[in-house]
Amino acid sequence: MEDVVKMKEIYFDNAATTPVAPEVVEVMNRFMTKNGVYGNPGSFNTVGLKALRALDNARSKAGELLNCQASEIIFVGSGTESINLALQGLARANKNSNRKHIITSKVEHPAVLQTCEFLEKEGFSVTYLDVDEFGIVSPERLSDALRDDTLLVSIMYANNEIGSINPIKELVSACKSFDKGILFHTDACQAAGYLDINVNNLGVDLMTINSSKIYGPRGVGLLYVRRGVLLKPLIFGGGQEFGKRSGTENVSGIIGFVKALEISDNLKDSENKRLSELRDYFISKVLRIIPKTLLNGHPTSRLSNNVNISFIDVEGEAILLMLNERAGVCASSGSACTSKSLDPSHVIIACGRPYEVAHGSIRFSLGRYTTKEEIDSALSVFPKIISELRAISPVSLKMEDVSVYYNG
Amino acid sequence: MVNENDDVFELTLHRDVAAKVRAKELEDWFYTPEVKEHFFNPKNLLKDPSELKDFKFNGYGSVGSPACGDKLDLWIVVDPSTEKIVDCKFKTFGCASAIASTSVLTVMVTENGGMSIADALKIKPQDIVKRLGDLPKRKFHCSVLGDKALRVAINDYFRRTNQHERIIVDGAQVIDTVLKVTDKDIEEAVLEGAHDFESVQKKTKVGVHDKSCIPKVIELINFYTKKYYG
């Protein structure tokens, strides 16, 4: 890859994945080689027993962090797998029940949306809730959609593209006041490390967290499942993870994940304070120094690390390439060209923004290692890059035409 | 020892090549140096609309729309005595490959004293992609709109010079009125292995915004699939 950028990179893509924290790597290394703990937790011998103890300790620690029982935590291979286990596992367990209705929102991650589309083919009916112009689901909207045969509500805690935060507590109580039997799952992959993940405060029945977004190793995630909630497994075999997810446990990965969760929970308040200041500085400066820009998502009810801006008259993929090559800035875009599909960001479209706005959207996701110097260095090249691209573009839209929302 | 080292070197080299092939298949984000050159330093760019006052063009073509994610404008100067395109300017809204493919097209039609209208009308997206040293596969059709804009511009030249009888439909009929996707484009997509609406749309973007054309597109896909694959 000799053509990969040689200049100093500025990483604004922490919502895609985070680097693994050195402290996490250090802990994981103790659970790999012959000199450390390497056994199979299922083995009936002292080497296996050491691994089992380590795994149990990690599960208890995760339970403490989520304020639940250790036995309510299922470790899985990713956030996506966790979501699939929640949705498909519940659907399988309720194949013969009268509850065949699922509610989700239009701005969920593809892991939720694609699973729901699959379940529709399997005979479930799915309601995809509209969101407001900030991408937020209102409890009233959810209440209106609840039915006697509703099995599950799955609403993300915070949006991965625009960082908007859903009022999970209020959504859960809207759900439970209609019918206590309706289960509530939340995808907290982006929320972990930034928001309260105490499951009893939130009132959720199921919750998904992914390790690779919180400075932990890749290939690990968890699903919290409240005691008494029945799930059918997706993966059969040796009966690991309470029979809900077979396969030899990824001990070092799980231990690294829980360590990462612990660190991010400890740093939560200070990081939120630091990052929200950087975020607001970033947003206000971009909107001020570059004409024809729009903020996507809520101005305040958003993750402290999320900045999502649309640059009008230019296309996102072209912006990304130029930012990357000229300034080393690594970000991501809601443009159709950076997705595998033909359509631009379903999230920004669901907010009611016109297609033109979605095509020019860029997500800058800050993180633990982001500094103000990096932001200033990026901001110093933005105006030139955008005006250069605008000089190539034949498009000159009127702000009053593109600042509208089409969802009322 | 020397031989052994050579073997190791061979092996490493081999692995590098394999990795590059894999990277090309998987990492479809990466562009060739030619694409980057035309993206970072576009040729024949109309920097400011005011330049048009002094640019004595006699053909103008525009395809796409910002809502689709691609829009490009092309201005051509045709020498009526030789029927060669002697100058050309463009503007493009779109991704890097959309910008680069238009830029390289303007070079193709103006280099060596200019391309004849007859030859210019024969330019296919594949020719543009070849000149760019390849494009990521999924970018192939959707971002290469230059040939279509060129056809529109040449027709505009015929119109401006009162040669209405020469306006070319060329067997190609515009099916998608927004992106100017023709039946020829659909035929090519079928020939490249797309045999249902979804995969033809992936290649051509047909019907993304002009939804009214979808039934006609499906009809054409069935027609060409039968024609070429029985």
Side-chain angles (χ1 to χ4, degrees):
Chain A
M1 298 268 181
E2 62 281 3
D3 57 342
V4 165
V5 195
K6 285 186 190 74
M7 79 182 81
K8 199 175 167 215
E9 284 164 341
I10 299 178
Y11 190 68
F12 290 155
D13 206 13
N14 288 282
T17 197
T18 46
V20 184
E23 310 93 289
V24 170
V25 176
E26 198 269 314
V27 173
M28 287 175 72
N29 281 339
R30 289 186 241 148
F31 295 87
M32 304 245 211
T33 64
K34 196 173 180 309
N35 297 326
V37 176
Y38 58 88
N40 184 331
S43 294
F44 190 72
N45 54 48
T46 49
V47 173
L49 195 61
K50 282 183 215 161
L52 181 63
R53 286 216 177 107
L55 181 64
D56 281 349
N57 285 340
R59 199 186 304 277
S60 300
K61 186 73 210 172
E64 271 173 44
L65 293 166
L66 269 62
N67 192 21
C68 67
Q69 300 295 313
S71 59
E72 293 173 311
I73 287 172
I74 301 170
F75 288 113
V76 295
S78 63
T80 295
E81 188 191 330
S82 170
I83 288 167
N84 271 266
L85 178 57
L87 273 57
Q88 288 196 58
L90 273 177
R92 286 184 188 192
N94 288 277
K95 218 170 94 185
N96 298 317
S97 87
N98 296 325
R99 291 188 186 260
K100 283 289 182 65
H101 178 228
I102 297 169
I103 299 173
T104 185
S105 80
K106 286 188 176 164
V107 298
E108 299 294 311
H109 188 273
V112 170
L113 293 175
Q114 300 267 318
T115 305
C116 283
E117 277 170 35
F118 168 73
L119 291 174
E120 278 186 279
K121 287 179 194 143
E122 297 281 295
F124 286 81
S125 77
V126 181
T127 302
Y128 300 90
L129 292 177
D130 285 325
V131 293
D132 67 11
E133 69 264 43
F134 304 120
I136 293 170
V137 179
S138 75
E140 295 72 33
R141 218 167 237 159
L142 172 60
S143 292
D144 291 345
L146 292 164
R147 303 195 323 216
D148 292 337
D149 66 338
T150 304
L151 167 69
L152 166 72
V153 175
S154 183
I155 306 284
M156 69 199 330
Y157 198 166
N159 187 271
N160 52 313
E161 289 188 30
I162 56 175
S164 300
I165 299 165
N166 274 315
I168 294 298
K169 231 191 247 187
E170 288 76 10
L171 291 167
V172 170
S173 56
C175 177
K176 300 291 179 184
S177 65
F178 179 85
D179 176 354
K180 279 202 172 59
I182 299 174
L183 298 169
F184 199 107
H185 166 253
T186 189
D187 165 8
C189 287
Q190 298 289 337
Y194 297 99
L195 305 175
D196 181 19
I197 49 165
N198 180 324
V199 291
N200 281 322
N201 286 351
L202 293 170
V204 295
D205 302 293
L206 302 105
M207 183 165 79
T208 289
I209 297 179
N210 173 11
S211 163
S212 71
K213 313 273 193 219
I214 55 165
Y215 308 87
R218 290 85 179 99
V220 200
L222 71 76
L223 178 64
Y224 157 75
V225 187
R226 187 180 294 279
R227 181 176 296 180
V229 173
L230 283 179
L231 275 189
K232 283 262 169 77
L234 307 183
I235 298 170
F236 296 91
Q240 289 87 346
E241 298 298 310
F242 316 108
K244 296 296 189 288
R245 204 270 189 178
S246 288
T248 301
E249 298 89 340
N250 175 5
V251 176
S252 64
I254 290 168
I255 283 167
F257 172 25
V258 175
K259 180 72 186 171
L261 195 60
E262 188 184 353
I263 297 171
S264 58
D265 201 59
N266 285 339
L267 294 176
K268 194 169 69 193
D269 293 341
S270 59
E271 276 297 89
N272 273 335
K273 186 173 180 298
R274 186 182 77 89
L275 286 171
S276 56
E277 277 167 18
L278 288 180
R279 174 198 68 191
D280 294 342
Y281 171 72
F282 195 135
I283 293 172
S284 64
K285 192 130 191 222
V286 170
L287 296 181
R288 201 174 62 237
I289 63 175
I290 304 176
K292 298 181 88 171
T293 43
L294 293 168
L295 175 70
N296 295 307
H298 200 279
T300 52
S301 186
R302 72 188 298 140
L303 290 173
S304 61
N305 72 330
N306 179 288
V307 175
N308 190 311
I309 307 264
S310 281
F311 299 87
I312 308 305
D313 298 338
V314 281
E315 200 272 346
E317 192 247 33
I319 303 173
L320 278 190
L321 185 59
M322 210 168 261
L323 281 177
N324 207 166
E325 294 261 327
R326 292 268 168 87
V329 171
C330 300
S332 64
S333 167
S335 131
C337 267
T338 52
S339 74
K340 297 278 174 206
S341 74
L342 289 161
D343 289 317
S345 162
H346 69 289
V347 175
I348 293 173
I349 296 297
C351 293
R353 292 280 201 202
Y355 275 78
E356 294 88 329
V357 174
H359 281 298
S361 67
I362 305 283
R363 177 187 72 186
F364 305 96
S365 43
L366 318 179
R368 189 177 294 167
Y369 308 111
T370 303
T371 62
K372 182 161 184 292
E373 288 67 40
E374 284 182 318
I375 293 174
D376 281 329
S377 152
L379 287 172
S380 69
V381 295
F382 277 12
K384 190 173 175 297
I385 284 172
I386 299 299
S387 65
E388 203 173 318
L389 283 168
R390 281 183 178 153
I392 301 175
S393 172
V395 177
S396 183
L397 299 163
K398 289 200 184 83
M399 280 309 271
E400 60 259 38
D401 293 339
V402 292
S403 322
V404 291
Y405 291 101
Y406 289 108
N407 56 1
Chain B
M1 262 328 262
V2 174
N3 280 340
E4 206 173 291
N5 276 344
D6 279 351
D7 281 352
V8 171
F9 177 67
E10 281 290 320
L11 196 67
T12 321
L13 194 68
H14 209 75
R15 234 186 258 142
D16 277 350
V17 172
K20 268 183 191 154
V21 172
R22 259 202 315 279
K24 204 166 176 55
E25 283 167 1
L26 300 174
E27 304 289 328
D28 47 10
W29 192 83
F30 292 98
Y31 288 126
T32 63
E34 289 87 345
V35 176
K36 284 191 178 171
E37 169 59 22
H38 280 278
F39 170 65
F40 286 111
N41 303 297
K43 322 292 174 219
N44 302 308
L45 175 70
L46 184 86
K47 288 197 185 74
D48 192 290
S50 64
E51 293 171 34
L52 280 178
K53 267 188 292 181
D54 305 317
F55 188 67
K56 299 288 170 230
F57 65 97
N58 50 11
Y60 164 69
S62 176
V63 294
S65 83
C68 303
D70 290 291
K71 177 182 180 358
L72 73 91
D73 288 3
L74 206 61
W75 294 266
I76 54 170
V77 180
V78 180
D79 178 347
S81 61
T82 58
E83 295 229 311
K84 281 186 174 178
I85 299 170
V86 290
D87 208 350
C88 183
K89 294 262 183 215
F90 85 97
K91 269 184 129 45
T92 296
F93 168 91
C95 60
S97 60
I99 291 167
S101 65
T102 323
S103 168
V104 81
L105 173 76
T106 64
V107 172
M108 287 163 75
V109 296
T110 53
E111 66 193 350
N112 306 323
M115 188 183 274
S116 71
I117 287 181
D119 287 340
L121 285 168
K122 287 182 202 148
I123 292 177
K124 295 193 298 282
Q126 289 90 325
D127 304 324
I128 300 170
V129 172
K130 205 169 154 193
R131 183 67 179 259
L132 285 172
D134 211 1
L135 272 183
K137 278 209 171 55
R138 74 199 163 84
K139 297 262 177 180
F140 199 97
H141 271 271
C142 65
S143 61
V144 183
L145 294 168
D147 57 313
K148 293 161 197 79
L150 185 60
R151 256 177 269 160
V152 178
I154 292 172
N155 277 341
D156 183 49
Y157 162 73
F158 290 147
R159 215 169 286 124
R160 284 167 192 254
T161 50
N162 285 318
Q163 307 182 70
H164 295 279
E165 72 288 353
R166 292 183 70 191
I167 291 177
I168 308 256
V169 190
D170 194 29
Q173 187 193 350
V174 172
I175 306 293
D176 181 318
T177 52
V178 179
L179 281 173
K180 309 277 191 287
V181 180
T182 66
D183 53 353
K184 286 244 154 149
D185 296 316
I186 292 163
E187 183 178 9
E188 268 165 35
V190 171
L191 282 169
E192 282 164 19
H195 297 153
D196 53 49
F197 178 71
E198 222 167 66
S199 38
V200 169
Q201 189 179 56
K202 255 183 203 147
K203 281 179 178 286
T204 62
K205 263 191 180 175
V206 69
V208 170
H209 288 270
D210 179 4
K211 304 229 188 277
S212 67
C213 73
I214 293 172
K216 179 76 186 157
V217 176
I218 293 170
E219 199 180 294
L220 284 167
I221 295 166
N222 291 338
F223 172 77
Y224 290 122
T225 308
K226 243 184 217 148
K227 182 174 166 186
Y228 295 110
Y229 300 91

